[in-house]
Amino acid sequence: MAGCGLSDDGDGDGGTLRLVAAEYGDTPATSSKAFWDKVTEDFTAANPGIKVEVKLLPWTDIDREVSRMVKAGNAPDLALMGGYSDFAAQGKLYSADELLSVTAEANFLQPLAEAGSVGNTLYGLPFVASSRLLFYNEALFSKAGVTAPKTWSDLKAAAKALKDKGVKYPFALPLGPEEAHAEAMIWELSNGGGYADSSGNYSLASDRNVETWQWVKDNLVAPGLVGPTPPAQLNRADAFAAFLRGEAGMLNGYPSLAHEARGKGITVGTVDMPVSDTLGAGESTPAVGVADWMMAFKQNGNRAEIGTFLDFVYQDKNLSDFADRYHLLPSTVSASRTPAGGGLATNDQLFLTALRGAQLYPVNDPSWVKVSDTIKRNIGRAVEPAGDPKAVLDDIAAQANEAVKKR
């Protein structure tokens, strides 16, 4: 925990706002504290009547801690974390139109604004985002005599060639509980499936999704093209570490991994996720987009002060500064322009292009927290040697339906 020692008692006094934010850094040197210290200092200098206290929490704790604070009647004024819809469903949040100008609200990138909305009302203000692309190690590809894949068959052929050259993880497939729901959605979208149908209802056990996992099991896992660690036991961090050691030929990644790889002298190629042969080369499917959300709680009644602070935080220079620190993408149209909006690195343009057409998790469904956890803990079973993809997906769908009933 870092930040300004936010107290856990008492209501807001109108002159001090309390923000609970996730810690994006993983060392003292990369802590988000430096960003928030500067922003809050600059904000108070420009708005002498309003102070902002910031409490940073690890990603592993923030959901539980903010939920505890809300349940105890001690909600912060603002929170920056990975979900918002359960608080929106409880009527705890200000909507964007109660906080921001029309111009500011319209500035959010469209896929992010849609994911931050319940019905037609924006409650989760997107802060930073990323999209996922297929990464490949160009040196390993050159050694294996293969080129960037466009279809699943291409991907399988490349993985086989990499394996034949002794690459440890021809295609790293992280279906461990850390972030399996991202990897699963990437694969399902690339076959025309996904988590939800056109009406927004869960379609977790669709024929397309069953077909996807049957293909992955038969064509990548069974022939040993995913490396020595069973996918259900391989977490994203371990897959990324293998890529950074030069041990993985391909995996799905996001901007910060590309930056780290370049820093280690690895030449990285990035392409859209290959599509299934059912769809065929030349077909376009959405990338997976991920965003983090700023939300404002009604409890302390500091609507005007919160709005003033958000106007300040969402200035292009501040949003770009935060995004650049962590090699993420800013959430607004103006901050993502180059070079006037604070700038994006050339290598991030591919991710921004993918984000503009991306599909995000159904975070606006209050049951998503439970459903995503179910996917994370179970989808790896679909590709185990004795696994039955249809049975596993049916089980996940049944648990999702129960979560929907209870929301």
Side-chain angles (χ1 to χ4, degrees), residues 60-326:
T60 51
D61 298 341
I62 190 166
D63 287 2
R64 180 178 65 251
E65 180 65 9
V66 172
S67 294
R68 184 191 68 78
M69 293 173 74
V70 172
K71 190 173 182 180
N74 185 41
D77 295 287
L78 293 149
L80 172 60
M81 48 198 279
Y84 69 89
S85 58
D86 48 346
F87 300 122
Q90 297 170 44
K92 302 286 189 182
L93 302 180
Y94 287 118
S95 60
D97 59 9
E98 294 176 288
L99 301 166
L100 305 175
S101 68
V102 173
T103 305
E105 188 175 350
N107 194 24
F108 292 117
L109 292 165
Q110 189 59 32
L112 306 183
E114 291 175 1
S117 298
V118 177
N120 293 316
T121 304
L122 182 64
Y123 290 101
L125 310 184
F127 193 67
V128 285
S130 67
S131 60
R132 306 298 165 91
L133 294 172
L134 182 75
F135 286 39
Y136 62 95
N137 182 314
E138 290 188 353
L140 295 180
F141 262 53
S142 179
K143 184 179 178 182
V146 291
T147 56
K150 295 181 179 179
T151 66
W152 286 1
S153 287
D154 296 341
L155 188 150
K156 178 184 178 182
K160 186 176 185 307
L162 290 163
K163 184 183 181 184
D164 291 345
K165 289 295 183 181
V167 176
K168 188 173 182 179
Y169 293 90
F171 185 96
L173 183 68
L175 296 178
E178 181 187 3
E179 210 197 26
H181 60 305
E183 186 71 21
M185 189 170 166
I186 291 167
W187 277 96
E188 291 175 5
L189 288 175
S190 70
N191 189 34
Y195 288 158
D197 60 24
S198 58
S199 301
N201 300 311
Y202 288 120
S203 56
L204 298 166
S206 69
D207 291 345
R208 290 274 188 179
N209 291 349
V210 172
E211 180 184 273
T212 294
W213 294 110
Q214 192 67 56
W215 189 93
V216 172
K217 179 186 175 186
D218 294 344
N219 291 275
L220 294 183
V221 181
L225 301 180
V226 296
T229 306
Q233 298 173 30
L234 183 67
N235 278 320
R236 180 195 68 191
D238 299 320
F240 280 15
F243 190 79
L244 294 172
R245 292 193 300 267
E247 296 176 353
M250 293 177 280
L251 49 59
N252 287 303
Y254 48 71
S256 60
L257 177 63
H259 175 83
E260 290 182 63
R262 288 192 297 272
K264 292 184 177 293
I266 295 173
T267 307
V268 183
T270 53
V271 292
D272 293 336
M273 175 66 186
V275 298
S276 69
D277 295 79
T278 303
L279 297 180
E283 285 294 313
S284 177
T285 57
V288 167
V290 180
D292 301 325
W293 311 97
M294 184 78 79
M295 68 209 76
F297 289 90
K298 293 179 178 179
Q299 185 180 96
N300 301 320
N302 295 327
R303 183 176 69 85
E305 292 85 354
I306 292 169
T308 301
F309 180 65
L310 290 175
D311 279 338
F312 188 86
V313 171
Y314 277 92
Q315 289 177 11
D316 290 347
K317 63 179 182 179
N318 293 325
L319 205 55
S320 294
D321 179 22
F322 191 89
D324 289 347
R325 283 170 185 260
Y326 302 106

Side-chain angles (χ1 to χ4, degrees), residues 302-373:
N302 295 327
R303 183 176 69 85
E305 292 85 354
I306 292 169
T308 301
F309 180 65
L310 290 175
D311 279 338
F312 188 86
V313 171
Y314 277 92
Q315 289 177 11
D316 290 347
K317 63 179 182 179
N318 293 325
L319 205 55
S320 294
D321 179 22
F322 191 89
D324 289 347
R325 283 170 185 260
Y326 302 106
H327 308 289
L328 295 166
L329 302 172
S331 60
T332 63
V333 173
S334 58
S336 60
R337 289 191 183 121
T338 54
L344 276 183
T346 303
N347 290 304
D348 289 343
Q349 287 296 329
L350 288 172
F351 292 96
L352 178 61
T353 299
L355 181 63
R356 287 185 175 125
Q359 189 164 317
L360 279 76
Y361 306 132
V363 290
N364 43 13
D365 190 315
S367 66
W368 172 242
V369 172
K370 173 64 176 174
V371 172
S372 64
D373 187 65

